[in-house]
């Protein structure tokens, strides 16, 4: 040891305790005379007052006394793992999530914990990365790059050499490993590793910590998870999510994370579609009637369309589930499909834009060309068809019906038809709305606008079924 005087017994016992998974702490002391202390205090005060490289100057002053200490004692403390850590890490690994363990423990302790928690599986080997300079670092990186199914173990000094000289190469090579164990990491190094992974790989990162030394890492990650433990609540208070046990991380990611992503993607697309379809109806109306400076729908219809006529069914999609919670935990491999980002992409956006163009064109053109010459009747037919199309679109996208979804659909239809019967609210002709002529025209337009898209969706599902359909 550089701080404590050389002692063969100390090195041997530290290694034995570390291999047993214990966290070791060496106690040392040093006797200083009054003159030595005054000299140290003066240098330390000057170092703290410097502007340039303050941390380096302070470290240099501390190094003058933190050497050659007399050995007092050695302790080994078991950092007991929480229950179900092994099954949780195994589930995350099966879900295709790369797990990096950033710890301040010795290499032997961290390796023992990684093996006991199944961060390193039985079929995988370990590669210990320990170098002294940047030339050795690049050689070791090239050596590890040729290995397959091997976990990487890096100590703190070697990690800092790679970050200072070969950070891009190190991150790219390390990300190919099934898992990575970084030992003797300082809080700054933990945050730096998270930042480099985000910048170099463009991947989403989730940092999990339980102590104050993990706060910087949690704040740097895209999603921070803090564990409430015996080390205090600093990590929990600084995180986006707070958990009482590590085992709940699988539920947070594989279940709540899955539903949050799926529902947010579908809800955002529906909101975009809801605005585009009525905009395209207005565009077709303006083009046919020589671009008048007027809207096809009056203000109360536009307000009702954005609120009471469509809001409840669209927002009820946040209750939808494509798989049950039991299936999500039984088959964590389903998470692979979410990592591809197919639920919300440029492709899905273009598909919903085309849907809006098709449905808006069908509603407006069929109402004008085939059926009506009265503008007031055209407004009644197109707006009613528009509302029914939106409700059917929501119904066609639902995977598992919830009672609130059914209530939202039924109540919205009742509210709409009751409101158009009230004189002065929508300005529709009551006699025309109550006629069979209005009903069959609305049904024909709605069927032409919706059912071809529904049949296409069913055909696509048969030809290219999603992974979840095979498990239903």
């Amino acid at each position: 040891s550089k701080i404590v005087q050389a002692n063969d017994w100390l090195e041997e016992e530290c290694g034995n305790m570390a291999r047993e998974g214990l966290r070791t702490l060496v106690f040392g002391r040093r006797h200083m005379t009054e003159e030595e202390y005054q000299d140290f205090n003066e240098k330390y005060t000057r170092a703290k007052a410097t502007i340039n490289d303050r941390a380096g100057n302070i470290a240099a002053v501390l190094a003058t006394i933190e050497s050659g200490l007399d050995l007092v004692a050695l302790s080994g403390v078991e950092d007991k793992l929480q229950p179900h850590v092994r099954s949780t890490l195994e589930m995350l690994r099966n879900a295709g999530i790369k797990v990096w363990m950033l710890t301040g423990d010795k290499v032997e302790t961290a390796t023992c914990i990684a093996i006991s928690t199944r961060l390193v599986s039985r079929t995988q080997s370990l590669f210990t990365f320990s170098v002294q300079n940047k030339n050795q670092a690049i050689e070791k990186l090239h050596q590890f790059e040729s290995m397959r199914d091997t976990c990487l173990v890096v100590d703190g000094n070697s990690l800092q050499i790679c970050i200072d000289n070969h950070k891009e190469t190190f991150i790219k090579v390390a990300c190919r490993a099934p898992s990575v164990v970084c030992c003797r990491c300082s809080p700054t190094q933990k945050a730096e590793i998270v930042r480099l992974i985000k910048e170099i790989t463009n991947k989403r990162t989730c940092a999990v910590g339980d102590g104050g030394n993990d706060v910087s890492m949690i704040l740097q990650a895209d999603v921070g998870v803090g564990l409430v433990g015996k080390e205090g609540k600093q990590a929990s208070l600084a995180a986006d999510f707070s958990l009482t046990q590590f085992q709940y991380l699988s539920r947070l990611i594989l279940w709540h994370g899955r539903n949050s992503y799926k529902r947010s993607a579908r809800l955002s697309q529906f909101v975009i579609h809801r605005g585009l379809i009525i905009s395209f109806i207005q565009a077709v109306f303006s083009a046919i009637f020589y671009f008048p400076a007027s809207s096809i729908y009056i203000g109360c219809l536009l307000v009702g369309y954005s609120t009471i006529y469509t809001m409840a069914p669209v927002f009820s999609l946040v209750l939808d589930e494509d798989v049950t919670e039991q299936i999500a935990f039984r088959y964590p491999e389903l998470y692979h499909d979410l990592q591809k980002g197919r639920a919300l992409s440029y492709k899905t956006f273009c598909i919903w834009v085309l849907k809006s163009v098709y449905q808006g064109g069908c509603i407006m053109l069929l109402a004008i060309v085939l059926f009506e010459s009265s503008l007031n009747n055209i407004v009644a037919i197109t707006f009613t068809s528009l509302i029914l199309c939106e409700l059917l679109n929501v119904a066609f996208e639902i995977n598992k019906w919830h009672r609130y979804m059914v209530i939202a659909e039924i109540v919205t239809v009742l509210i709409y038809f009751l409101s158009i019967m009230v004189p002065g609210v929508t300005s529709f002709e009551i006699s025309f709305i109550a006629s069979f002529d209005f009903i069959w025209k609305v049904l024909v337009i709605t069927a032409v606008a919706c059912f071809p898209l529904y049949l296409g969706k069913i055909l696509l599902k048969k030809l290219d079924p999603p992974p979840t359909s095979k498990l239903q």
Side-chain angles (χ1 to χ4, degrees):
S1 177
K2 297 179 181 179
I3 299 178
V4 181
Q5 293 180 1
N7 190 314
D8 296 336
W9 173 86
L10 176 63
E11 294 291 340
E12 182 180 354
E13 287 302 318
C14 277
N16 292 336
M17 290 184 177
R19 282 187 286 272
E20 293 177 8
L22 303 179
R23 286 191 167 183
T24 57
L25 178 63
V26 178
F27 296 85
R29 67 180 180 181
R30 175 174 180 166
H31 293 283
M32 297 179 65
T33 63
E34 183 69 22
E35 292 77 10
E36 289 177 337
Y37 173 75
Q38 293 298 336
D39 181 59
F40 162 75
N41 189 39
E42 183 181 347
K43 293 179 181 178
Y44 186 70
T45 304
R46 285 201 304 265
K48 289 196 297 182
T50 56
I51 299 176
N52 298 324
D53 194 20
R54 180 181 301 171
N57 294 330
I58 292 176
V61 174
L62 292 176
T64 59
I65 64 169
E66 292 180 346
S67 61
L69 302 181
D70 297 327
L71 177 62
V72 176
L74 169 65
S75 66
V77 180
E78 180 185 5
D79 189 10
K80 190 174 182 180
L81 295 174
Q82 294 181 352
H84 306 295
V85 172
R86 180 184 302 178
S87 58
T88 302
L89 288 176
E90 190 172 359
M91 192 178 296
L92 295 178
R93 189 169 61 245
N94 293 335
I97 299 174
K98 294 291 184 69
V99 181
W100 288 41
M101 186 173 79
L102 311 180
T103 177
D105 294 336
K106 291 168 63 69
V107 174
E108 295 84 359
T109 306
T111 303
C112 181
I113 294 175
I115 295 174
S116 63
T117 56
R118 295 288 173 84
L119 182 63
V120 180
S121 66
R122 298 175 181 176
T123 59
Q124 295 170 350
S125 57
L126 287 170
F127 180 81
T128 303
F129 189 94
S130 180
V131 296
Q132 301 299 326
N133 54 61
K134 61 181 182 179
N135 294 328
Q136 292 180 0
I138 196 65
E139 292 177 3
K140 284 279 189 178
L141 288 174
H142 290 320
Q143 180 184 351
F144 179 74
E145 192 174 9
S146 61
M147 297 181 177
R148 294 292 178 268
D149 203 22
T150 303
C151 298
L152 182 63
V153 180
V154 191
D155 61 54
N157 293 331
S158 303
L159 179 64
Q160 192 60 47
I161 292 173
C162 292
I163 291 176
D164 293 338
N165 301 282
H166 313 290
K167 55 185 176 183
E168 187 169 348
T169 304
F170 171 74
I171 295 297
K172 289 182 178 179
V173 171
C175 285
R176 297 175 186 173
S179 56
V180 180
V181 179
C182 297
C183 316
R184 290 296 190 190
C185 283
S186 64
T188 305
Q189 286 178 325
K190 293 180 180 180
E192 183 69 11
I193 291 173
V194 174
R195 185 186 67 82
L196 290 175
I197 293 175
K198 288 169 54 180
E199 292 180 355
I200 296 174
T201 65
N202 292 324
K203 300 291 185 181
R204 297 289 182 267
T205 57
C206 174
V208 185
D210 64 347
N213 58 346
D214 299 320
V215 170
S216 58
M217 173 183 68
I218 290 173
L219 295 176
Q220 185 66 51
D222 295 300
V223 179
V225 179
L227 300 178
V228 180
K230 296 184 181 299
E231 296 189 30
K233 295 184 178 180
Q234 296 95 328
S236 176
L237 295 174
D240 302 301
F241 299 95
S242 178
L243 303 177
T244 56
Q245 292 189 23
F246 184 81
Q247 62 175 320
Y248 300 145
L249 184 63
S250 58
R251 181 181 175 86
L252 176 66
I253 295 176
L254 300 183
W255 178 241
H256 294 295
R258 175 189 185 84
N259 288 337
S260 177
Y261 173 68
K262 287 275 191 178
R263 293 166 179 174
S264 299
R266 186 163 296 175
L267 183 61
S268 62
Q269 290 165 345
F270 256 98
V271 172
I272 294 171
H273 169 77
R274 188 177 63 171
L276 284 176
I277 186 173
I278 195 170
S279 300
F280 197 75
I281 289 176
Q282 177 65 45
V284 174
F285 169 79
S286 299
I288 293 176
F289 289 93
Y290 304 101
F291 300 99
S294 62
S295 173
I296 182 174
Y297 303 127
I298 60 176
C300 63
L301 292 180
L302 293 175
V303 173
Y305 174 75
S306 301
T307 54
I308 60 175
Y309 295 153
T310 60
M311 187 172 65
V314 170
F315 280 88
S316 69
L317 288 171
V318 299
L319 302 173
D320 192 24
E321 298 174 2
D322 58 339
V323 295
T324 63
E325 186 176 355
Q326 291 76 17
I327 291 179
F329 290 150
R330 189 180 303 167
Y331 303 99
E333 293 81 6
L334 292 174
Y335 198 80
H336 286 278
D337 191 52
L338 275 71
Q339 293 174 322
K340 298 175 184 177
R342 293 177 178 175
L344 185 62
S345 61
Y346 290 114
K347 178 181 177 181
T348 58
F349 173 76
C350 293
I351 290 174
W352 279 98
V353 170
L354 294 177
K355 283 183 180 180
S356 304
V357 172
Y358 171 76
Q359 291 184 330
C362 282
I363 292 172
M364 197 69 223
L365 292 174
L366 288 176
I368 293 176
V369 176
L370 300 180
F371 298 125
E372 284 295 329
S373 57
S374 171
L375 180 60
N376 194 30
N377 292 345
I378 289 174
V379 172
I381 292 173
T382 56
F383 192 77
T384 305
S385 301
L386 174 63
I387 298 299
L388 293 179
C389 279
E390 281 298 306
L391 297 180
L392 288 175
N393 285 335
V394 173
F396 293 157
E397 290 294 323
I398 293 175
N399 295 298
K400 181 181 178 181
W401 282 90
H402 192 280
R403 64 177 180 272
Y404 291 130
M405 296 178 179
V406 179
I407 293 173
E409 293 269 347
I410 295 175
V411 170
T412 300
V413 173
L414 292 177
I415 289 175
Y416 174 70
F417 282 104
L418 288 176
S419 65
I420 63 177
M421 293 296 179
V422 178
V425 175
T426 60
S427 300
F428 295 163
E429 295 181 8
I430 306 299
S431 59
F432 177 71
I433 293 174
S435 65
F436 178 74
D437 195 35
F438 169 79
I439 296 174
W440 78 265
K441 289 177 180 179
V442 168
L443 292 178
V444 169
I445 293 176
T446 304
V448 174
C450 291
F451 284 101
L453 298 178
Y454 180 61
L455 294 176
K457 181 181 178 181
I458 293 177
L459 183 61
L460 181 62
K461 207 169 193 179
K462 293 292 183 182
L463 297 177
D464 185 21
T468 55
S469 65
K470 304 172 185 177
L471 303 174
Q472 300 298 336

CSV table of all heavy atoms in Angstrom, one decimal, residues 401-425:
chain,number,residue,atom,x,y,z
A,401,TRP,N,-59.8,-4.1,-23.7
A,401,TRP,CA,-60.9,-3.2,-23.3
A,401,TRP,C,-60.9,-3.0,-21.8
A,401,TRP,O,-60.9,-4.0,-21.0
A,401,TRP,CB,-62.2,-3.6,-23.8
A,401,TRP,CG,-62.4,-3.3,-25.3
A,401,TRP,CD1,-62.1,-4.1,-26.3
A,401,TRP,CD2,-62.9,-2.1,-25.8
A,401,TRP,NE1,-62.3,-3.5,-27.5
A,401,TRP,CE2,-62.9,-2.2,-27.2
A,401,TRP,CE3,-63.4,-0.9,-25.3
A,401,TRP,CZ2,-63.3,-1.2,-28.1
A,401,TRP,CZ3,-63.8,0.1,-26.2
A,401,TRP,CH2,-63.8,-0.1,-27.5
A,402,HIS,N,-61.0,-1.8,-21.3
A,402,HIS,CA,-61.2,-1.5,-19.9
A,402,HIS,C,-62.6,-0.9,-19.8
A,402,HIS,O,-63.2,-0.2,-20.7
A,402,HIS,CB,-60.2,-0.5,-19.5
A,402,HIS,CG,-60.1,-0.3,-18.0
A,402,HIS,ND1,-60.9,0.5,-17.3
A,402,HIS,CD2,-59.2,-0.8,-17.1
A,402,HIS,CE1,-60.6,0.5,-16.0
A,402,HIS,NE2,-59.6,-0.3,-15.9
A,403,ARG,N,-63.2,-1.0,-18.6
A,403,ARG,CA,-64.6,-0.5,-18.5
A,403,ARG,C,-64.7,1.0,-18.7
A,403,ARG,O,-65.7,1.5,-19.2
A,403,ARG,CB,-65.1,-0.9,-17.1
A,403,ARG,CG,-64.4,-0.3,-15.9
A,403,ARG,CD,-65.1,-0.8,-14.6
A,403,ARG,NE,-64.5,-0.2,-13.4
A,403,ARG,CZ,-63.5,-0.8,-12.8
A,403,ARG,NH1,-63.0,-2.0,-13.2
A,403,ARG,NH2,-62.9,-0.3,-11.7
A,404,TYR,N,-63.6,1.7,-18.3
A,404,TYR,CA,-63.6,3.2,-18.5
A,404,TYR,C,-63.6,3.5,-20.0
A,404,TYR,O,-64.1,4.6,-20.4
A,404,TYR,CB,-62.5,3.8,-17.7
A,404,TYR,CG,-62.7,3.8,-16.2
A,404,TYR,CD1,-61.6,3.3,-15.4
A,404,TYR,CD2,-63.9,4.2,-15.7
A,404,TYR,CE1,-61.8,3.3,-14.0
A,404,TYR,CE2,-64.0,4.1,-14.3
A,404,TYR,CZ,-63.0,3.6,-13.5
A,404,TYR,OH,-63.2,3.6,-12.1
A,405,MET,N,-62.9,2.7,-20.8
A,405,MET,CA,-62.9,2.9,-22.2
A,405,MET,C,-64.3,2.8,-22.8
A,405,MET,O,-64.7,3.6,-23.7
A,405,MET,CB,-62.0,1.9,-22.9
A,405,MET,CG,-60.5,2.0,-22.5
A,405,MET,SD,-59.5,0.7,-23.3
A,405,MET,CE,-57.9,1.1,-22.7
A,406,VAL,N,-65.0,1.7,-22.4
A,406,VAL,CA,-66.4,1.5,-22.9
A,406,VAL,C,-67.3,2.7,-22.5
A,406,VAL,O,-68.1,3.2,-23.2
A,406,VAL,CB,-67.0,0.2,-22.3
A,406,VAL,CG1,-68.4,0.0,-22.8
A,406,VAL,CG2,-66.1,-1.0,-22.8
A,407,ILE,N,-67.1,3.1,-21.2
A,407,ILE,CA,-67.9,4.3,-20.7
A,407,ILE,C,-67.6,5.5,-21.5
A,407,ILE,O,-68.5,6.3,-21.9
A,407,ILE,CB,-67.7,4.5,-19.2
A,407,ILE,CG1,-68.2,3.3,-18.4
A,407,ILE,CG2,-68.3,5.8,-18.7
A,407,ILE,CD1,-67.9,3.3,-16.9
A,408,ALA,N,-66.3,5.8,-21.8
A,408,ALA,CA,-65.9,7.0,-22.5
A,408,ALA,C,-66.5,7.0,-23.9
A,408,ALA,O,-67.0,8.0,-24.4
A,408,ALA,CB,-64.4,7.0,-22.6
A,409,GLU,N,-66.5,5.8,-24.6
A,409,GLU,CA,-67.1,5.8,-25.9
A,409,GLU,C,-68.6,6.0,-25.9
A,409,GLU,O,-69.1,6.8,-26.7
A,409,GLU,CB,-66.8,4.4,-26.6
A,409,GLU,CG,-65.3,4.1,-26.8
A,409,GLU,CD,-64.9,4.6,-28.2
A,409,GLU,OE1,-65.7,4.8,-29.0
A,409,GLU,OE2,-63.6,4.7,-28.4
A,410,ILE,N,-69.3,5.3,-25.1
A,410,ILE,CA,-70.7,5.4,-25.0
A,410,ILE,C,-71.2,6.8,-24.6
A,410,ILE,O,-72.1,7.4,-25.2
A,410,ILE,CB,-71.3,4.3,-24.1
A,410,ILE,CG1,-71.0,2.9,-24.7
A,410,ILE,CG2,-72.8,4.5,-23.9
A,410,ILE,CD1,-71.5,1.8,-23.8
A,411,VAL,N,-70.6,7.3,-23.5
A,411,VAL,CA,-71.0,8.7,-23.0
A,411,VAL,C,-70.7,9.7,-24.1
A,411,VAL,O,-71.5,10.7,-24.2
A,411,VAL,CB,-70.2,9.0,-21.7
A,411,VAL,CG1,-70.4,10.4,-21.3
A,411,VAL,CG2,-70.7,8.0,-20.6
A,412,THR,N,-69.6,9.6,-24.8
A,412,THR,CA,-69.2,10.6,-25.8
A,412,THR,C,-70.3,10.6,-26.9
A,412,THR,O,-70.7,11.7,-27.4
A,412,THR,CB,-67.8,10.3,-26.4
A,412,THR,OG1,-66.9,10.4,-25.3
A,412,THR,CG2,-67.5,11.4,-27.4
A,413,VAL,N,-70.7,9.5,-27.4
A,413,VAL,CA,-71.7,9.4,-28.4
A,413,VAL,C,-73.0,10.0,-27.9
A,413,VAL,O,-73.7,10.8,-28.7
A,413,VAL,CB,-71.9,7.9,-28.9
A,413,VAL,CG1,-73.1,7.8,-29.8
A,413,VAL,CG2,-70.6,7.4,-29.5
A,414,LEU,N,-73.4,9.7,-26.7
A,414,LEU,CA,-74.7,10.2,-26.2
A,414,LEU,C,-74.6,11.7,-26.1
A,414,LEU,O,-75.5,12.5,-26.4
A,414,LEU,CB,-75.0,9.6,-24.8
A,414,LEU,CG,-75.3,8.1,-24.8
A,414,LEU,CD1,-75.5,7.6,-23.4
A,414,LEU,CD2,-76.6,7.8,-25.7
A,415,ILE,N,-73.4,12.2,-25.5
A,415,ILE,CA,-73.3,13.7,-25.4
A,415,ILE,C,-73.4,14.4,-26.7
A,415,ILE,O,-74.0,15.4,-26.9
A,415,ILE,CB,-72.0,14.0,-24.7
A,415,ILE,CG1,-72.0,13.6,-23.2
A,415,ILE,CG2,-71.7,15.5,-24.8
A,415,ILE,CD1,-70.7,13.8,-22.5
A,416,TYR,N,-72.8,13.8,-27.8
A,416,TYR,CA,-72.8,14.4,-29.1
A,416,TYR,C,-74.2,14.5,-29.7
A,416,TYR,O,-74.6,15.6,-30.1
A,416,TYR,CB,-71.8,13.7,-30.0
A,416,TYR,CG,-71.9,14.2,-31.4
A,416,TYR,CD1,-71.4,15.5,-31.7
A,416,TYR,CD2,-72.5,13.5,-32.4
A,416,TYR,CE1,-71.5,16.0,-33.0
A,416,TYR,CE2,-72.6,14.0,-33.7
A,416,TYR,CZ,-72.1,15.3,-34.0
A,416,TYR,OH,-72.2,15.8,-35.3
A,417,PHE,N,-74.9,13.4,-29.7
A,417,PHE,CA,-76.2,13.4,-30.3
A,417,PHE,C,-77.2,14.2,-29.5
A,417,PHE,O,-78.2,14.7,-30.0
A,417,PHE,CB,-76.7,11.9,-30.5
A,417,PHE,CG,-76.0,11.3,-31.7
A,417,PHE,CD1,-75.0,10.3,-31.5
A,417,PHE,CD2,-76.4,11.6,-33.0
A,417,PHE,CE1,-74.4,9.7,-32.6
A,417,PHE,CE2,-75.8,11.0,-34.1
A,417,PHE,CZ,-74.8,10.1,-33.9
A,418,LEU,N,-77.0,14.3,-28.2
A,418,LEU,CA,-77.9,15.1,-27.4
A,418,LEU,C,-77.6,16.6,-27.6
A,418,LEU,O,-78.6,17.4,-27.7
A,418,LEU,CB,-77.8,14.8,-25.9
A,418,LEU,CG,-78.3,13.5,-25.4
A,418,LEU,CD1,-78.0,13.3,-23.9
A,418,LEU,CD2,-79.8,13.4,-25.6
A,419,SER,N,-76.3,16.9,-27.8
A,419,SER,CA,-76.0,18.3,-28.0
A,419,SER,C,-76.4,18.8,-29.4
A,419,SER,O,-76.8,20.0,-29.5
A,419,SER,CB,-74.5,18.5,-27.9
A,419,SER,OG,-73.8,17.8,-28.9
A,420,ILE,N,-76.4,18.0,-30.4
A,420,ILE,CA,-76.9,18.5,-31.7
A,420,ILE,C,-78.4,18.6,-31.8
A,420,ILE,O,-78.9,19.2,-32.8
A,420,ILE,CB,-76.3,17.6,-32.9
A,420,ILE,CG1,-76.9,16.2,-32.8
A,420,ILE,CG2,-74.8,17.5,-32.9
A,420,ILE,CD1,-76.5,15.2,-33.9
A,421,MET,N,-79.1,18.0,-30.9
A,421,MET,CA,-80.5,18.1,-30.9
A,421,MET,C,-81.0,19.4,-30.2
A,421,MET,O,-82.1,19.8,-30.3
A,421,MET,CB,-81.2,16.9,-30.1
A,421,MET,CG,-81.0,15.6,-30.9
A,421,MET,SD,-81.9,15.6,-32.5
A,421,MET,CE,-81.5,14.0,-33.1
A,422,VAL,N,-80.1,20.1,-29.5
A,422,VAL,CA,-80.4,21.3,-28.8
A,422,VAL,C,-80.4,22.5,-29.7
A,422,VAL,O,-79.3,22.7,-30.4
A,422,VAL,CB,-79.5,21.5,-27.6
A,422,VAL,CG1,-79.8,22.8,-26.9
A,422,VAL,CG2,-79.5,20.4,-26.6
A,423,PRO,N,-81.4,23.2,-29.9
A,423,PRO,CA,-81.4,24.3,-30.9
A,423,PRO,C,-80.4,25.4,-30.5
A,423,PRO,O,-80.3,25.7,-29.3
A,423,PRO,CB,-82.8,24.8,-30.8
A,423,PRO,CG,-83.7,23.7,-30.3
A,423,PRO,CD,-82.8,23.0,-29.4
A,424,GLY,N,-79.7,25.9,-31.4
A,424,GLY,CA,-78.8,27.0,-31.1
A,424,GLY,C,-77.4,26.6,-30.7
A,424,GLY,O,-76.5,27.5,-30.7
A,425,VAL,N,-77.1,25.3,-30.5
A,425,VAL,CA,-75.8,24.9,-30.1
A,425,VAL,C,-74.9,24.6,-31.3
A,425,VAL,O,-73.8,25.1,-31.4
A,425,VAL,CB,-75.9,23.6,-29.2
A,425,VAL,CG1,-74.5,23.1,-28.8
A,425,VAL,CG2,-76.6,23.9,-27.9
